[in-house]
Amino acid sequence: MVDFPDSGEGPGWFVVLPDCASAGRVSAALRTRKVQEVTHPSGRPWLLGHWSPGAVTVGEAGGRSKIAVVGEHAMTADRLTRAAGRISTIAGLDGLSRGMAGSSHLVASIDGRVRVQGSLTGFRRVFHARTGDATVAADRADVLAALLDAEVDEQRLAARLLNPCAPHPLAGEPVWRDVSALGIGHYLALDADGRGRPVAWWAPPEPVVPMADGAPALREALSAAVEIRVRGRDVVSCDLGGLDSTSVCALAARGTAKVIAYTADGLDPLCDDVPWARRTVAGLGGVDHHIIAGDQLPMVFEGLRDVDERFDEPCPAMMHPSRCLVIPRLAAARGSGMHLTGFGGDELLAGSPAHLHTLIRTHPRTALQRLRGFAAQGPWPYRETLRQLWDNTSYRAWLTRAGDLLTAAPLPLEAPALDWGTPPRLPPWATPDAVEAVRELIRTAARTAEPLAERRGLHIELEALGNNSRMVRQVGQLATRAGLTLAAPYYDDRVIEAGLAVRPQDRITPWRYKPLIVEAMRGIVPDESLTRHTKDEGSYEAEVGMREQRAELLALCEDSRLARLGLIDAKVLREMCGGPLPPTLPFDALYQTVVCEMWLRTLDSATTAVPG
C-alpha cells in the first residue's frame, strides 16, 4: 500500500475522472486533500491534482467541449478553444494531436466522453484503473495505487529483475496490482458510464524518406522542440557531452535566452567529452560553459542508504540520485528553470542493425554491404549471423523461447543483433520461485503479444525509446526537487516521427556515426563538432563505484526486502557483491536488483492511509 506522492515541493500529478456520477467517490477522496481542480463542461470534477502554475492550459467551447494540455507545448487557451469548437468527438482530436510540437498530455471532455493521451514514449505516461463503477486515469501509477489501496504486484516486480530489461509488453507494466498503463500509440477513452478502453490512434511512419528530405525534416522538428522550451525565458541550461546534447545546446544558443552548458568530466581516461565540448563552445560563442571534474561527482552506488525519493516504479536513478542532481542544482542556482538534455538521441539516431533483417529481403545488395561492416565491427560469428538473418520466427515464438531461457548463460558480447531483441536473463541470485513467476508471466504474455512494429529493427527502436524514456521521466522527477524542468526533446512525438521516417539504409550504417543528426545539424552545430564519432559509455564509473561503495551494496543485502518477498537469495547476492562481478554478468543485472530493493525500502517509510 502507498499514500499519495508529496503534494508540496516536488513533482506534480493529476487524476482524470469520467463525466459520470459513479466517479463521485473518487473525487470525494481526492478532495480530502488540498488539490487543484478543473471541471467537465457538465460541472462534474474532471482534472484533480497538483501542478505548477501555467502547467495546464484549457480551452472550452459551447458548454459541451473542453480540451486541456499539460506539459511543454505551444498551445494557447485561444487555440484550444477554437479546436474545442470544431471537434465533435474524441476521435476527432487525432489531427490536433498530430500537429502539436513539444511534450505533453492531451485530455479532452466532449459530450460526456473523455480522451486521455500521453506521449508516444514513456516520458508522458497514462495509467488507468477501475475503482467502483468508474475507470480513472492518472499520470502516476502510485496515485492510482493509493486510491485503490493496492499492494505491490510481486510477479511484475520479479520481472523488473530481468537483464537488460523485461521484454515488451511486460516492460512498461506498473508494479501495482490492478493498475494498468497505456502502450505506445494508444489513448484511453472513457465513456459516459465510466467505462474505459485503450484506443490505438498512432502507428510508426513507413521508413521510406531519403536522407536528403529526412535531415531537413528532423532539423525542423528538433528546432521546434527546443524553441518551445527556450521561448520567453531569460536563462536556460543544457547538457553538453555527446553529439545529441551538442545539437540541442546549439539549437538553444540560436535563441535570445542565455545558455548555460554543463559537461561532466568522466573518470575514464578515454572519456573525451570535455575537449569536444570546448570545441563546440568556441564555435558557438556566447555559451556560458562549466566543467564538472570527475572526482567532484558522487560515485555510482554512493548514498544508497540515504535515498528517500518516492518513484511510482523502480528507477535506475535510485542508484545515484545525488549524482543525477549535481547539474540540475548548479543550473538552478544560476537562474535556470529549464534544463535540456540529449536523452533519447541514441535510440533514435544510432538505430538498430536489426533493420538488416528486413533490408536483406527488400534491398539485398545494400543489406549485404551493411552486413559486412557490422559483422566486422562485432565481430559477429558467421553462422549465428546467417541464422538470425534468415530466421522468420514470430515475435510470440521468440518471446516464448525467451521465457524458457531465463537462467541460461548470457549471450556473448559479440552476438549479432538481428533478432527481435536481446533475450533477457535473471541474475544468479533470483530464487526458483522468482524464475517460475517471471517465466509464467512471459509465457502468458506471449500467447497474445504483438510486436511494436512488423520490422524487427523498428520494434527494437520503439521498445528502447519506451524503456529509456521511462527512466528519464524519473530523472525529471528528481530535477523538480532542484527547482527546474528537465526537457528531453528527442522524446517528443514529432521528433520521433521525423527520425523514424528516414530510410534505415540512410540512417543506420557501420561507417558513419549518427549520419541523420550530422546532416540535420549542418550550419547549426560547428562543423568540427559534427565530425565526432565517439561516446562515453559509463562502464568505468560503474566498476569504480562498485569497488569504492562496496559497503553500501553489502548493506542492502541485510534484511533485504526482495529476500523477504522470496524473489532473491540474499546470501548469493552478498557473495556476488563481495568482489568483482564475473565477466559474464553485466553491471545492468546488479543495477536492476539494486533499484528494486531501494524502491521497496522507500515504500517502508510511506504512510499507508488512503484518503477518503
Side-chain angles (χ1 to χ4, degrees):
M1 293 182 290
V2 67
D3 193 16
F4 280 83
D6 179 14
S7 58
E9 179 186 353
W13 53 270
F14 64 85
V15 173
V16 184
L17 305 183
D19 190 4
C20 59
S22 58
R25 188 191 69 82
V26 181
S27 63
L30 290 167
R31 282 168 163 170
T32 63
R33 313 185 70 83
K34 188 177 179 180
V35 296
Q36 295 157 271
E37 182 174 329
V38 179
T39 62
H40 284 284
S42 66
R44 292 191 178 104
W46 179 33
L47 299 176
L48 297 97
H50 286 274
W51 49 81
S52 58
V56 179
T57 304
V58 182
E60 181 177 12
R64 51 172 289 276
S65 300
K66 264 189 179 180
I67 303 174
V69 181
V70 188
E72 302 149 24
H73 56 86
M75 301 300 293
T76 63
D78 286 345
R79 290 180 65 186
L80 290 177
T81 295
R82 291 194 294 271
R86 68 175 181 268
I87 294 172
S88 58
T89 66
I90 59 173
L93 286 158
D94 286 5
L96 175 69
S97 178
R98 288 191 171 96
M100 288 175 55
S103 174
S104 58
H105 285 88
L106 173 65
V107 189
S109 177
I110 301 176
D111 288 335
R113 288 167 173 77
V114 176
R115 172 169 174 159
V116 191
Q117 179 180 314
S119 59
L120 296 177
T121 68
F123 195 75
R124 303 275 178 181
R125 303 207 69 191
V126 174
F127 302 95
H128 55 100
R130 189 79 175 171
T131 172
D133 294 326
T135 297
V136 298
D139 67 332
R140 285 186 60 129
D142 53 353
V143 169
L144 294 184
L147 284 171
L148 297 174
D149 199 11
E151 300 281 356
V152 173
D153 188 313
E154 296 171 13
Q155 191 176 27
R156 290 183 181 179
L157 182 62
R160 296 299 182 103
L161 300 176
L162 285 165
N163 171 62
C165 62
H168 166 77
L170 305 179
E173 287 189 339
V175 289
W176 302 99
R177 291 178 185 168
D178 302 318
V179 178
S180 302
L182 291 184
I184 288 178
H186 288 73
Y187 66 79
L188 181 69
L190 304 175
D191 66 20
D193 294 320
R195 293 184 296 263
R197 62 185 178 90
V199 176
W201 75 275
W202 181 88
E206 282 295 312
V208 296
V209 178
M211 179 69 78
D213 298 324
L218 178 65
R219 178 169 57 246
E220 180 180 353
L222 191 58
S223 297
V226 172
E227 199 271 338
I228 281 172
R229 273 77 173 204
V230 173
R231 179 192 305 153
R233 296 182 180 272
D234 296 325
V235 180
V236 296
S237 52
C238 301
D239 290 335
L240 182 56
L243 183 57
D244 307 330
S245 59
T246 295
S247 299
V248 170
C249 183
L251 286 168
R254 302 175 81 195
T256 59
K258 175 184 177 181
V259 175
I260 307 171
Y262 291 89
T263 303
D265 193 8
L267 294 175
D268 189 342
L270 297 179
C271 176
D272 57 354
D273 281 352
V274 169
W276 281 104
R278 284 177 172 151
R279 293 176 190 133
T280 298
V281 170
L284 290 175
V287 172
D288 184 9
H289 187 213
H290 299 268
I291 298 170
I292 305 170
D295 58 5
Q296 298 300 307
L297 288 167
M299 299 298 301
V300 177
F301 302 122
E302 184 175 337
L304 290 178
R305 284 174 284 190
D306 300 327
V307 174
D308 60 0
E309 184 71 29
R310 288 178 50 196
F311 299 108
D312 61 355
E313 63 179 346
C315 168
M318 300 182 85
M319 292 186 304
H320 39 71
S322 56
R323 187 181 180 94
C324 292
L325 279 170
V326 168
I327 290 178
R329 283 173 173 161
L330 290 173
R334 289 188 170 93
S336 175
M338 173 69 65
H339 186 78
L340 296 104
T341 78
F343 287 125
D346 284 340
E347 304 96 280
L348 183 65
L349 302 170
S352 170
H355 279 288
L356 292 171
H357 185 271
T358 300
L359 207 59
I360 195 70
R361 291 158 175 80
T362 57
H363 298 80
R365 179 176 297 180
T366 300
L368 288 172
Q369 292 173 340
R370 301 287 193 274
L371 183 65
R372 282 194 291 268
F374 281 115
Q377 289 176 0
W380 290 350
Y382 178 76
R383 181 175 296 179
E384 178 61 14
T385 299
L386 289 182
R387 186 200 69 77
Q388 290 189 19
L389 196 62
W390 299 117
D391 173 68
N392 283 321
T393 298
S394 69
Y395 184 69
R396 292 181 186 178
W398 178 88
L399 191 59
T400 300
R401 179 169 170 76
D404 294 337
L405 299 174
L406 295 179
T407 57
L411 293 178
L413 293 176
E414 65 273 13
L418 305 174
D419 220 328
W420 284 106
T422 301
R425 299 289 191 261
L426 282 169
W429 48 80
T431 63
D433 286 345
V435 174
E436 189 53 39
V438 175
R439 182 167 289 140
E440 178 186 359
L441 201 61
I442 291 177
R443 286 173 175 170
T444 300
R447 295 185 191 124
T448 57
E450 296 292 342
L452 295 169
E454 293 182 3
R455 301 167 182 256
R456 291 186 182 185
L458 190 51
H459 166 84
I460 290 172
E461 289 166 352
L462 288 170
E463 186 174 32
L465 284 164
N467 289 338
N468 292 333
S469 64
R470 286 191 290 271
M471 181 273 292
V472 178
R473 165 181 175 259
Q474 308 288 22
V475 175
Q477 177 179 323
L478 279 175
T480 63
R481 296 290 182 185
L484 82 173
T485 298
L486 182 83
Y490 288 105
Y491 290 132
D492 288 8
D493 293 359
R494 305 290 82 77
V495 176
I496 289 171
E497 288 172 338
L500 295 183
V502 178
R503 298 185 306 193
Q505 58 265 45
D506 293 349
R507 181 164 57 93
I508 305 159
T509 167
W511 300 295
R512 293 185 65 191
Y513 183 68
K514 299 181 179 178
L516 177 56
I517 194 67
V518 170
E519 297 303 322
M521 290 294 105
R522 291 201 185 279
I524 297 174
V525 171
D527 290 343
E528 185 180 8
S529 298
L530 291 176
T531 65
R532 185 178 181 183
H533 59 274
T534 59
K535 177 181 175 61
D536 182 32
E537 43 83 34
S539 60
Y540 186 92
E541 278 79 3
E543 184 175 349
V544 174
M546 183 175 182
R547 184 169 62 248
E548 296 190 2
Q549 305 299 320
R550 200 175 306 280
E552 295 267 9
L553 288 170
L554 292 173
L556 288 184
C557 302
E558 303 303 323
D559 193 23
S560 164
R561 277 48 167 189
L562 288 169
R564 282 188 204 173
L565 296 177
L567 300 181
I568 71 165
D569 185 325
K571 181 180 179 181
V572 175
L573 178 60
R574 188 183 302 110
E575 290 173 352
M576 288 287 187
C577 291
L581 292 181
T584 57
L585 191 64
F587 281 108
D588 282 351
L590 180 60
Y591 291 169
Q592 306 287 25
T593 298
V594 168
V595 300
C596 287
E597 178 68 32
M598 294 307 305
W599 183 75
L600 287 172
R601 290 179 182 234
T602 62
L603 295 187
D604 284 352
S605 61
T607 305
T608 56
V610 176

